[in-house]
Structures are given as structure tokens and as C-alpha cells.
Amino acid sequence: YDTLVSHYGVTRVNARVSGIDRAARYVTLETGGTISYDRLVLAPGLDFDLMPGMSSLAEYDTLVPHAWKAGPQTQLLRNQLLAMPAGQNVVLTIPKSPYRCPPGPYERVCVIADWLKKNKAGSRIIVLDANADIIVEKENFSHAFTTLYAGVVDYRPGCNVTHVDSANRVVTYDQVVNLVPVATQAQVQAAVLNPIPPQRAPQLLRDAGLLSGDPTKPFAPVDVLSYQSTVDPLVHVIGD
């Protein structure tokens, strides 16, 4: 960032934004003060919701990492995989769309399956997908699950997780395939549990009135060509 400041005249402020006033066109900083804007570009990240049965977000940090944000949780997931005895299973849950990076969970399944195949004989990764089917690159991922990683990936679509016991790594779920109930209140035990939780735009965007208003789509709607907010033409939102 130093060259941006010294050579290009960019003003860099190292502070967290705590509020947005779209009418007056300024942002408020947690450290105090405001910065006005003519056009605002936001890269706010996202927030994660609890899975049913969980009582604290801290469970993701200590027991069942979602690892959907790189850092300590990624390391925790790696350490748990390394420590898992061969022959035991990984369970990964995929939230109902929309969520950040649609192919991401399926890519992770392949990465973990590849590692299990080479390092943990007899282990499987059980995938509980809340969506009715693979939602992106279906042909590629179906081929990987059923051919390259046959016997290692146990993919289960249409799974609605109803309870997560983080301490014991037990997941309870209902499964519906082609509108037909397959399993009700089924349970699966994991040696390593990687629940990818439901996601939403952060409270900052909600407070600024930049969300769609549809509770089933808790993100900021944008023009996909410019990332310009459909709520406010002076605001662009990237990466929620």
C-alpha cells in the first residue's frame, strides 16, 4: 500500500467503518470522525449464522470449524484432519444457495477426498447438501464424486440439517430427494465435522438499507456488470 500513498496520492485510512449515511453521503469510523464520498465502494465480507442446535459462534472457532474464512479455522480443520484415525469419517454440510462461492464446497469435498484417499485408508467424506442437487458444474463434480473418488465421497442431496451437536460431532438431518422423503431425523457421526453455515451480508449493509428486503435473499442486490447497488446508484458492493 505504501506505493499507492507515496506515488499515486491515495489517502489510506486504517480504521473500521461503523456506519453509512447514504443521504448525507459519508461513512462513520469506529475511531471517530467521518469521511464524505461522491461514490462508495464496499467490500464488507459476510456474516455466518449458527447451525440448528448450536448456541455460540465460538463453536466454529474451537470445535467444528467452517473454515469459510482463511486463518485460524483453516488451521484447525487441517489439524483435525491430520489427527483423525484412518477409517473414520469427515462430514461436510453445504448450505442452501445463495452463499459465497457456489463451487467452493464441492471443490473442498474433492480436495479432502483426494487427501483421504492417499492418507486415511477406509475413511469417507459424507456430504449433506441442503440443495436438491449439485448447483454448479454438476457434470464435473458428479464425475469426480462417482468415478475419481468413488467409495470416498458419499454425497447426499436434499439434506436439511435440524441439529448439530458440536461437542460430539453428531449431525441430525432430514433428506428429501425428488420431493420424496428419504430419511427423517437421520443421524451421522463425524470424526471431523466441517459445517459450512448459512451466510448473509453483514449488519453494516443491513443498517444502511442496502439489502433486498427479501429475507430469503439476505444479500445486497447489485448490477452484475458493474456491482452497482440496485438500491443506491452511488454505491457499489463487492464481496458480500
PDB file of all heavy atoms in Angstrom, residues 46-58:
ATOM      1  N   LEU A  46     -18.831 -11.007   4.955  1.00  0.00           N
ATOM      2  CA  LEU A  46     -20.166 -11.519   5.269  1.00  0.00           C
ATOM      3  C   LEU A  46     -20.210 -12.019   6.697  1.00  0.00           C
ATOM      4  O   LEU A  46     -19.190 -12.109   7.376  1.00  0.00           O
ATOM      5  CB  LEU A  46     -20.565 -12.620   4.288  1.00  0.00           C
ATOM      6  CG  LEU A  46     -19.588 -13.751   3.963  1.00  0.00           C
ATOM      7  CD1 LEU A  46     -19.507 -14.756   5.101  1.00  0.00           C
ATOM      8  CD2 LEU A  46     -19.988 -14.449   2.682  1.00  0.00           C
ATOM      9  N   ASP A  47     -21.404 -12.314   7.158  1.00  0.00           N
ATOM     10  CA  ASP A  47     -21.600 -12.870   8.492  1.00  0.00           C
ATOM     11  C   ASP A  47     -22.103 -14.305   8.365  1.00  0.00           C
ATOM     12  O   ASP A  47     -22.747 -14.671   7.373  1.00  0.00           O
ATOM     13  CB  ASP A  47     -22.624 -12.048   9.282  1.00  0.00           C
ATOM     14  CG  ASP A  47     -22.048 -10.733   9.784  1.00  0.00           C
ATOM     15  OD1 ASP A  47     -20.800 -10.606   9.812  1.00  0.00           O
ATOM     16  OD2 ASP A  47     -22.831  -9.828  10.125  1.00  0.00           O
ATOM     17  N   PHE A  48     -21.811 -15.111   9.395  1.00  0.00           N
ATOM     18  CA  PHE A  48     -22.216 -16.512   9.420  1.00  0.00           C
ATOM     19  C   PHE A  48     -23.286 -16.723  10.479  1.00  0.00           C
ATOM     20  O   PHE A  48     -23.223 -16.156  11.568  1.00  0.00           O
ATOM     21  CB  PHE A  48     -21.010 -17.409   9.730  1.00  0.00           C
ATOM     22  CG  PHE A  48     -19.902 -17.278   8.724  1.00  0.00           C
ATOM     23  CD1 PHE A  48     -18.826 -16.444   8.949  1.00  0.00           C
ATOM     24  CD2 PHE A  48     -19.944 -17.987   7.536  1.00  0.00           C
ATOM     25  CE1 PHE A  48     -17.812 -16.313   8.017  1.00  0.00           C
ATOM     26  CE2 PHE A  48     -18.934 -17.861   6.589  1.00  0.00           C
ATOM     27  CZ  PHE A  48     -17.861 -17.022   6.841  1.00  0.00           C
ATOM     28  N   ASP A  49     -24.267 -17.548  10.154  1.00  0.00           N
ATOM     29  CA  ASP A  49     -25.313 -17.885  11.110  1.00  0.00           C
ATOM     30  C   ASP A  49     -24.984 -19.191  11.814  1.00  0.00           C
ATOM     31  O   ASP A  49     -24.190 -20.010  11.319  1.00  0.00           O
ATOM     32  CB  ASP A  49     -26.663 -18.020  10.397  1.00  0.00           C
ATOM     33  CG  ASP A  49     -27.202 -16.675   9.934  1.00  0.00           C
ATOM     34  OD1 ASP A  49     -26.935 -15.666  10.610  1.00  0.00           O
ATOM     35  OD2 ASP A  49     -27.887 -16.637   8.896  1.00  0.00           O
ATOM     36  N   LEU A  50     -25.610 -19.403  12.965  1.00  0.00           N
ATOM     37  CA  LEU A  50     -25.449 -20.655  13.689  1.00  0.00           C
ATOM     38  C   LEU A  50     -26.229 -21.758  12.984  1.00  0.00           C
ATOM     39  O   LEU A  50     -27.295 -21.530  12.428  1.00  0.00           O
ATOM     40  CB  LEU A  50     -25.955 -20.515  15.121  1.00  0.00           C
ATOM     41  CG  LEU A  50     -25.172 -19.579  16.043  1.00  0.00           C
ATOM     42  CD1 LEU A  50     -25.896 -19.414  17.368  1.00  0.00           C
ATOM     43  CD2 LEU A  50     -23.762 -20.099  16.275  1.00  0.00           C
ATOM     44  N   MET A  51     -25.692 -22.966  13.034  1.00  0.00           N
ATOM     45  CA  MET A  51     -26.445 -24.128  12.593  1.00  0.00           C
ATOM     46  C   MET A  51     -27.437 -24.492  13.696  1.00  0.00           C
ATOM     47  O   MET A  51     -27.204 -24.203  14.877  1.00  0.00           O
ATOM     48  CB  MET A  51     -25.501 -25.301  12.334  1.00  0.00           C
ATOM     49  CG  MET A  51     -24.421 -25.035  11.302  1.00  0.00           C
ATOM     50  SD  MET A  51     -25.020 -25.045   9.604  1.00  0.00           S
ATOM     51  CE  MET A  51     -25.244 -26.802   9.325  1.00  0.00           C
ATOM     52  N   PRO A  52     -28.565 -25.126  13.351  1.00  0.00           N
ATOM     53  CA  PRO A  52     -29.528 -25.522  14.387  1.00  0.00           C
ATOM     54  C   PRO A  52     -28.856 -26.364  15.463  1.00  0.00           C
ATOM     55  O   PRO A  52     -28.080 -27.278  15.173  1.00  0.00           O
ATOM     56  CB  PRO A  52     -30.555 -26.356  13.606  1.00  0.00           C
ATOM     57  CG  PRO A  52     -30.447 -25.880  12.195  1.00  0.00           C
ATOM     58  CD  PRO A  52     -29.002 -25.527  11.997  1.00  0.00           C
ATOM     59  N   GLY A  53     -29.145 -26.045  16.714  1.00  0.00           N
ATOM     60  CA  GLY A  53     -28.559 -26.778  17.832  1.00  0.00           C
ATOM     61  C   GLY A  53     -27.325 -26.125  18.402  1.00  0.00           C
ATOM     62  O   GLY A  53     -26.924 -26.419  19.534  1.00  0.00           O
ATOM     63  N   MET A  54     -26.694 -25.229  17.644  1.00  0.00           N
ATOM     64  CA  MET A  54     -25.512 -24.534  18.146  1.00  0.00           C
ATOM     65  C   MET A  54     -25.946 -23.332  18.969  1.00  0.00           C
ATOM     66  O   MET A  54     -26.974 -22.708  18.698  1.00  0.00           O
ATOM     67  CB  MET A  54     -24.616 -24.098  16.985  1.00  0.00           C
ATOM     68  CG  MET A  54     -24.031 -25.249  16.191  1.00  0.00           C
ATOM     69  SD  MET A  54     -23.031 -24.718  14.769  1.00  0.00           S
ATOM     70  CE  MET A  54     -21.694 -23.846  15.567  1.00  0.00           C
ATOM     71  N   SER A  55     -25.150 -22.988  19.971  1.00  0.00           N
ATOM     72  CA  SER A  55     -25.518 -21.879  20.856  1.00  0.00           C
ATOM     73  C   SER A  55     -24.560 -20.705  20.767  1.00  0.00           C
ATOM     74  O   SER A  55     -24.874 -19.624  21.272  1.00  0.00           O
ATOM     75  CB  SER A  55     -25.568 -22.371  22.312  1.00  0.00           C
ATOM     76  OG  SER A  55     -24.310 -22.903  22.707  1.00  0.00           O
ATOM     77  N   SER A  56     -23.408 -20.901  20.126  1.00  0.00           N
ATOM     78  CA  SER A  56     -22.414 -19.830  20.091  1.00  0.00           C
ATOM     79  C   SER A  56     -21.559 -19.923  18.835  1.00  0.00           C
ATOM     80  O   SER A  56     -21.186 -21.022  18.412  1.00  0.00           O
ATOM     81  CB  SER A  56     -21.512 -19.904  21.329  1.00  0.00           C
ATOM     82  OG  SER A  56     -20.405 -19.026  21.212  1.00  0.00           O
ATOM     83  N   LEU A  57     -21.228 -18.764  18.269  1.00  0.00           N
ATOM     84  CA  LEU A  57     -20.318 -18.737  17.121  1.00  0.00           C
ATOM     85  C   LEU A  57     -18.937 -19.261  17.492  1.00  0.00           C
ATOM     86  O   LEU A  57     -18.178 -19.691  16.628  1.00  0.00           O
ATOM     87  CB  LEU A  57     -20.207 -17.306  16.581  1.00  0.00           C
ATOM     88  CG  LEU A  57     -21.437 -16.749  15.864  1.00  0.00           C
ATOM     89  CD1 LEU A  57     -21.247 -15.265  15.562  1.00  0.00           C
ATOM     90  CD2 LEU A  57     -21.708 -17.514  14.566  1.00  0.00           C
ATOM     91  N   ALA A  58     -18.617 -19.247  18.795  1.00  0.00           N
ATOM     92  CA  ALA A  58     -17.322 -19.737  19.246  1.00  0.00           C
ATOM     93  C   ALA A  58     -17.128 -21.222  18.943  1.00  0.00           C
ATOM     94  O   ALA A  58     -15.995 -21.700  18.867  1.00  0.00           O
ATOM     95  CB  ALA A  58     -17.164 -19.493  20.748  1.00  0.00           C
TER      96      ALA A  58
END
